[in-house]
Structures are given as C-alpha cells and as structure tokens.
Amino acid sequence: MSEATPTLDTPLSSAGVERLQQLSSTLAVKPRTLLGDAWRRFRKHRLAMLGVALLAFLTLTVTIGAPLYIDRFARISAEEGAPLLQQNPTLRDATDHLNFIAILAPPSANHPFGTDDLGRDLFVRALYGGRISLAVGFTAMLIAITLGSVVGAVSGFFGGTVDQILMRITDLFLSLPGIPLILLTVYLFRDPVIKAMGSPEAGIFVIVVTVIGGLAWMQTARVVRASFLSLKQKEFVEAATALGVSRASIMFRHILPNAMSPIIVAATLEIGTAIITESTLSFLGVGFPADTPTWGRLVTDGSQYLQGAPWLALIPGFLIFITVLSINFVGDGLRDALDPRSRL
Amino acid sequence: MGQYVVRRLLIAIPTLLITSLVIFAILALAPGDPLAQFALNPAVPEEVRERIREQLGLNQPWPVRYVKWLQQVSQGNFGISFNTKAPVLDLIGQRLPQTLQVVGLAYLIAVLIAIPIGIISAVKQYSLFDQIATFFSFVGFSVPSFFTGLVLMLVFAINLGWFPIVYSSTLKVTDWDSFWQQIRQMVLPISVLVVQQTAALTRFMRSSMLDNLTLDYVRTAKAKGLTDRLVVMRHVVTNSLIPVVTLIALGIPTIFAGAIITENLYRVNGLGQLLITSINNSDTPVVMALTFIFAILTVIFNLIADVLYGVLDPRVRYS
C-alpha cells in the first residue's frame, strides 16, 4: 500500500477509496439503521434470544443432525442384535425399525428418548416428527401470510367496493368454526388429495397445510389493511404516483416494506399456531397417516402407555411445547423490537 | 342503540346463511358416498340403494338439497343420524349439558383468575409478579391442550390418584356423595381449559390496562387527589374491561371447539366427542348440524360482543 494521498483531480485508486472510507469512518459515528436498532432491541429480550437459540438448535438437529445420527443408530441396532435391513437406511426407514430386544426401554445412552411397544427408537421417530412439524408450521405460515398480505394490501390500497367485499369475506372467514372445519375438511378431502399427490404423506401434508393456512390469514389481512390505509396517504406514495410508478409496484415495492413489522410478528406467531393445530389433528387421528411419526401422533400412541412408559407421550409432547414456546418468545421479542409502541 | 343492534343483526343473518352454505358445500362436494356402508352389504342390492338414495333426496343437485336442508333447519329439524337413527337434535340435546358444564365452569374460572392477574401485572409492570405472570401466560398458550391434559392425568390421576382418570358420564348427582364425585371428575378437564384460556385473557387484560394507565383522565383523577387504589379500581379497571368483555364474548365459541380435545382425552361425552365419532362414522347429518351449531355460536357471540361493545362504549355505535 502506498502512502500517497489522492487529490481531487486524479481518479481515485482502490487504495484511495479505502483510505477515504477509513477517514470517514473515524470521523462519523457508524450510522444507525432501523434494522440495527431493531436488532439492538431484540438482543435485550433475553427469552427471545433463548428462543432463537433453541429453534436454531432444533432445526439443525432435525435437518443436518438426523442423517448423521442414522449411522450411530445403525451401529447400536446391530450391537443390540437387531441390525437394520436396509443397506443405506434413510431416516424414514429408521423410524420403522423394529427392535424386539429393546421394547418399552426407558431413555438410555443407546436410546436417548427410549423405545416404544415395538422397540422403535423414539429419538429417531421424534427427529422425523420434528421435520414434519417444522415444515407444516413454516409452509402453513407462508400460505396464511401471503394470502393475508395480498387481501389486506388490495383492500387497503383500493378501498371502496373492493375493500367492502374483501372485508366482508374476511369477517365471514372469522366466523367460520376453525377447529371443527379443519377436522372436517382434512377428513373429507384427504383421499382425493392423496391420490393426486401420489403418496399419503405428501397428500396429507398438502391438505393440512392448505387448510390450516387457508383459515389463518384473516388477522394478517386486517393488520395489513390498517397499515395500508394510513401509509397510502403519505407523501412518498404521492411522489411515486407522480413519477408514474405502476400501482402494483407502489403496493408491493413501496408500501408493503413499510408495513412489514406487523407482518413479520404475525408470521412468527402463525408458525407456532400451525404446529399446535397440526399436532392436534394428529392427536385426534385426523392428520397424517397412522404410521407417520408426527409429534402429535407420537403423543397419542404414547398415551396408551402413560402408566408404564410415560416418556413415550411426555417427550414428544414436551418437544411440541418447547418449540411453540420458543416461537412465541421470538415473536414477542420481534414485536418489542419492531414496534416498540405495542405492548400485548 | 336499537338501530345499532338492528344493523348488527342484519349483518349476522347473511353471515350465518353463507357459513352454512360453505359447510354444506364442503360436505356435499366431498368425495365419498353416504350410502357406502350399504355397498358391501349383500342384503342391500343396487336397486334398493338407488331407492334409498331417491328417498333421502341424494340424487338431487346439492344446491337444491341445501335449500331443503335450510327449510327443515328453520323449523328446528336437523334430520336423523345415519348411525344411531335418532333425531340429531336429541343427540345434541343429550350431549350439550356435559359440554356446557365443563366449558362454562372452565371459562368462568379462567375469567376470575385472569382479570386480577392482568390488573396487578399492568399496575406493577416489569415487577417480579408481572414477569412470572408473563412467563406463565406464554407457557399457557404455547402448550397444546392435549399435552396439558396428559401431564395432569399422569400426575394427579395416575400417580397421586386424587381424581379419576376418565369422566364417567353415567354418574347421576343425587346426594352429597355423588356431587363430590362429580366435582372430582370435572377438576382435570376444567383445569386443562382454564390453563389455555387464562393465558390469553391475562395478556388482553394487561395490555388493555397498560393502554389506559397512560391516558389523561388517569392523571386528572390523580391530580384531584384520589388514592391510587381508587384511580385504578374505579377508573382504569372499568375502562380497561370494555375491550376485554368483548374478547370474553368472542372467546366462548373457540372454547367450545377447544373442548373437542379435552372431551376426547377425558372421555367426556359432550359435543366435541360427538363430532369426532360422527366424523369417523361418516354420519353426515350429525356432522353438519354440529359444525353449523359451532358456526351459530360464533356468529351469536360475535353479535353479543358487538352489542356489548356498543353498550359499554357509546362511541362505537356511531362509527
């Protein structure tokens, strides 16, 4: 690096730019951004940080951790005298692996969560169930939030008759009986959807996610509509209109980013609600097929051994609880961070 | 005021009609044959099945069936259960008291617990009490009710043996002894519902109090020398209760739906359990009637909430 100081009439070399940046950074305090402020507030929320850590841990365990664990599981099974039959077992194979030597075994080093009445390893099954729960929660949230944002945005932006009609529909959806209707729809429509999707698990996944998401967008729509109503009066929208920006672009590129805070909070909380709803469906026997080890299904199956092997129901139940609790804490932290005025 | 109520009623009726249409359409458009149970029965040949279909009016297009159903329902006839051959309304009438007892008591207890906690939490914001209450309300709405139910069952029914594991619906309350038994078997299902409802209501009460505590009228009340206690109890609490009362009304239908899980877990033979068994038996008339009743409840309590809000806060009536 040369020490030459660039003058104004010579083109800036890369070293010169660097030097300038150094200079300006020592002169001015690092600018505070909105996002930076939010992050600073979020970090102060200890429970939310704990929630983020727990969720990250859970997600990594069920995604990256699961394939790594299968090797260990195969070794343990072989040592116990019940080797896996498949050459390269997948996680799904491992969840169905019967081991009659270790039936209803309590949690131990070999079986961290114990085994069920057929000697299936609960830890492996819980890993698989975790994938389903997180996938269902996340996808249902995406559906609900997308629907809610679009309905709210259109309603708030256009106003008038469109607004009237859309809000009436929103009210109508709010007065539908949620859980009974979800139960009913999933039960009635699962066969054709399974046929259309080719596999029972994929079929049920699609229908569960659609129904949960399709009945959960109303609050988001209302919140987004309210933000749009106030934001569309602002000068920056007027400026964009004057510049000839298209309406779609004004809605989604200019206004929507400003209405993002409540959407993010609603999205986070929706993941938790969707996970609880799915596990409730599974618990009532109306969700995923009986042989798919979702967390809710594991609780149902385990509840028959509540007396002799309580861990079978308690561990998966606790996993649902801790996941949703973490999500709710993150949601609360986000609300505090993004919108310091609201206090619920 | 009368005009406000009429306006709300005029919105509620079409909502009910459309809701029932949606539920009917879902049931009618769903694949699967209500007469499928006869298909495998050699005693019911194809012609007989067709005749049954004609008799039940199942060969007509579903909008026609919907109008006919609506006519019957408006006369109080919900049809006959495919499964038990009893009128649907009788079935529901048998189950309703159990659900009302459990759900009603649970909601009452939840309200009685939640409101004081919400008040103290808000007045002493960020105190130890507030933090503990906040933590527990988060736990309360993060825990799936079937899990609370199982844990309570394990601890109090199986390990400690204080309460029976399942609800006995044949128990008749005739004397103090059976009354005590009835109380004991209701404790666990009620607790599950209370945990769930208290959590949400506490948060509502707290945030409503916090909104009011910073308003000018509170400062005025303090300035004229009222004690803190009086300011909070007479001025802030009454004003904060307005939105909470509406939320309580809005919450009643959801708690009926929430009772589905509790009733199944503890074998309470209420409406929720009836819904699940009817869904599993493809008993369309019962399912339709129950879902529609849940919808009516939702709409009615929405209406009650709206009217209550209008009564408590006259500003709403004119917006």
Side-chain angles (χ1 to χ4, degrees):
Chain A
M1 280 298 137
S2 70
E3 289 294 318
T5 353
T7 50
L8 279 175
D9 49 354
T10 54
L12 290 179
S13 62
S14 66
V17 172
E18 230 170 74
R19 181 87 188 111
L20 261 182
Q21 276 166 350
Q22 273 175 15
L23 276 174
S24 60
S25 69
T26 49
L27 279 176
V29 190
K30 203 174 154 222
R32 288 171 63 146
T33 58
L34 275 174
L35 215 62
D37 276 354
W39 169 240
R40 216 162 294 128
R41 278 195 295 268
F42 186 78
R43 260 189 330 204
K44 276 198 205 129
H45 200 302
R46 254 173 297 163
L47 287 170
M49 290 303 285
L50 187 71
V52 169
L54 264 170
L55 279 180
F57 176 71
L58 274 167
T59 316
L60 288 177
T61 314
V62 300
T63 49
I64 302 170
L68 301 176
Y69 185 74
I70 291 184
D71 289 340
R72 176 169 184 266
F73 178 67
R75 211 176 51 243
I76 289 168
S77 301
E79 276 169 20
E80 285 182 346
L84 269 79
L85 302 173
Q86 296 86 351
Q87 259 321 311
N88 282 311
T90 60
L91 183 59
R92 189 73 180 90
D93 295 332
T95 58
D96 284 337
H97 176 63
L98 309 180
N99 180 350
F100 293 111
I101 293 144
I103 281 176
L104 292 176
S108 63
N110 275 2
H111 302 285
F113 288 176
T115 60
D116 69 3
D117 51 329
L118 295 171
R120 293 177 295 193
D121 186 89
L122 189 65
F123 183 70
V124 173
R125 289 167 76 74
L127 283 176
Y128 193 79
R131 282 188 179 179
I132 294 183
S133 282
L134 291 176
V136 166
F138 200 74
T139 323
M141 174 277 281
L142 280 183
I143 294 176
I145 294 301
T146 314
L147 257 174
S149 304
V150 171
V151 170
V154 171
S155 196
F157 187 75
F158 291 106
T161 324
V162 180
D163 181 33
Q164 282 290 319
I165 294 171
L166 285 177
M167 281 302 109
R168 282 267 68 90
I169 295 175
T170 310
D171 286 348
L172 187 79
F173 266 85
L174 278 172
S175 58
L176 288 174
I179 292 278
L181 204 62
I182 293 177
L183 277 173
L184 196 62
T185 330
V186 172
Y187 181 79
L188 289 174
F189 287 92
R190 69 176 157 190
D191 291 336
V193 179
I194 287 173
K195 229 175 263 163
M197 294 301 298
S199 95
E201 269 177 33
I204 293 282
F205 180 82
V206 168
I207 186 158
V208 164
V209 159
T210 317
V211 175
I212 295 179
L215 284 171
W217 54 269
M218 294 80 78
Q219 289 304 339
T220 317
R222 284 188 161 181
V223 173
V224 173
R225 173 179 174 269
S227 328
F228 264 68
L229 280 179
S230 70
L231 285 169
K232 75 172 177 185
Q233 315 279 1
K234 294 269 155 69
E235 286 86 351
F236 72 90
V237 176
E238 212 175 308
T241 319
L243 283 169
V245 179
S246 74
R247 283 204 285 206
S249 178
I250 290 182
M251 273 167 72
F252 295 108
R253 300 262 312 265
H254 294 259
I255 303 184
L256 195 63
N258 285 294
M260 221 50 207
S261 311
I263 299 182
I264 293 173
V265 176
T268 317
L269 299 178
E270 179 48 36
I271 300 180
T273 321
I275 290 180
I276 288 206
T277 313
E278 185 281 316
S279 61
T280 306
L281 285 182
S282 288
F283 178 78
L284 292 173
V286 190
F288 280 84
D291 59 344
T292 306
T294 63
W295 283 349
R297 169 64 66 173
L298 290 177
V299 176
T300 322
D301 293 349
S303 66
Q304 301 176 11
Y305 297 93
L306 206 52
Q307 214 149 359
W311 62 87
L312 281 179
L314 294 186
I315 292 176
F318 185 73
L319 286 173
I320 304 173
F321 166 57
I322 208 74
T323 310
V324 178
L325 187 67
S326 309
I327 291 171
N328 284 340
F329 277 138
V330 174
D332 192 51
L334 283 174
R335 182 158 36 208
D336 284 354
L338 295 170
D339 183 11
R341 281 162 305 160
S342 94
R343 295 197 209 84
L344 181 70
Chain B
M1 188 66 214
Q3 205 194 351
Y4 174 77
V5 175
V6 170
R7 209 165 54 214
R8 292 284 125 190
L9 258 175
L10 286 180
I11 296 175
I13 292 165
T15 311
L16 259 185
L17 283 179
I18 300 176
T19 314
S20 66
L21 182 70
V22 169
I23 301 169
F24 197 92
I26 289 176
L27 278 169
L29 297 178
D33 187 357
L35 299 181
Q37 43 173 335
F38 295 130
L40 298 170
N41 189 343
V44 186
E46 183 62 32
E47 313 90 82
V48 178
R49 245 193 304 154
E50 280 313 308
R51 225 173 301 146
I52 297 176
R53 197 180 296 276
E54 221 164 282
Q55 247 174 14
L56 292 175
L58 286 171
N59 51 352
Q60 291 160 326
W62 72 265
V64 176
R65 274 158 38 206
Y66 171 69
V67 175
K68 287 191 169 169
W69 178 83
L70 205 61
Q71 277 169 357
Q72 292 298 313
V73 167
S74 60
Q75 289 160 26
N77 180 8
F78 276 92
I80 287 169
S81 157
F82 286 168
N83 211 37
T84 59
K85 311 284 182 272
V88 173
L89 220 50
D90 288 2
L91 270 180
I92 291 175
Q94 284 165 13
R95 304 296 193 102
L96 189 64
Q98 322 277 357
T99 300
L100 275 183
Q101 257 180 17
V102 173
V103 168
L105 260 176
Y107 209 47
L108 192 71
I109 296 173
V111 169
L112 290 180
I113 296 177
I115 289 180
I117 294 182
I119 296 174
I120 302 173
S121 263
V123 173
K124 303 207 157 95
Q125 199 188 0
Y126 303 130
S127 66
L128 188 65
F129 181 90
D130 181 30
Q131 277 169 8
I132 292 173
T134 303
F135 184 79
F136 274 102
S137 64
F138 268 91
V139 170
F141 51 67
S142 302
V143 62
S145 49
F146 58 84
F147 184 56
T148 337
L150 279 176
V151 172
L152 292 181
M153 196 188 259
L154 182 67
V155 175
F156 294 106
I158 294 177
N159 287 347
L160 294 172
W162 290 355
F163 308 109
I165 297 178
V166 292
Y167 188 95
S168 152
S169 44
T170 48
L171 182 74
K172 291 256 181 317
V173 179
T174 47
D175 48 9
W176 283 111
D177 212 34
S178 55
F179 178 71
W180 178 235
Q181 242 177 308
Q182 173 70 14
I183 298 281
R184 273 186 33 178
Q185 69 175 357
M186 276 164 64
V187 168
L188 291 184
I190 287 181
S191 313
V192 175
L193 291 169
V194 167
V195 167
Q196 209 182 12
Q197 295 299 316
T198 311
L201 284 174
T202 311
R203 298 303 288 169
F204 287 136
M205 188 64 204
R206 177 177 180 270
S207 79
S208 177
M209 285 286 290
L210 286 176
D211 283 342
N212 272 285
L213 277 170
T214 51
L215 293 184
D216 289 341
Y217 75 85
V218 179
R219 205 181 320 129
T220 313
K222 279 186 182 153
K224 54 177 203 185
L226 295 185
T227 59
D228 276 356
R229 197 186 165 76
L230 206 62
V231 173
V232 169
M233 294 313 285
R234 186 164 304 161
H235 296 263
V236 183
V237 169
T238 40
N239 277 307
S240 311
L241 274 174
I242 296 172
V244 176
V245 166
T246 39
L247 277 165
I248 291 173
L250 285 177
I252 291 174
T254 53
I255 194 174
F256 269 96
I260 295 174
I261 298 129
T262 325
E263 286 183 358
N264 268 281
L265 193 59
Y266 289 102
R267 314 257 188 284
V268 181
N269 63 335
L271 294 181
Q273 208 196 25
L274 183 65
L275 180 70
I276 297 290
T277 44
S278 308
I279 286 183
N280 284 328
N281 292 331
S282 306
D283 198 342
T284 320
V286 183
V287 174
M288 180 68 213
L290 275 175
T291 324
F292 186 57
I293 285 175
F294 282 123
I296 295 178
L297 281 175
T298 316
V299 173
I300 288 181
F301 281 103
N302 273 328
L303 187 70
I304 293 177
D306 277 350
V307 173
L308 264 178
Y309 210 8
V311 172
L312 295 171
D313 188 349
R315 285 170 301 181
V316 178
R317 278 183 245 160
Y318 304 105
S319 62

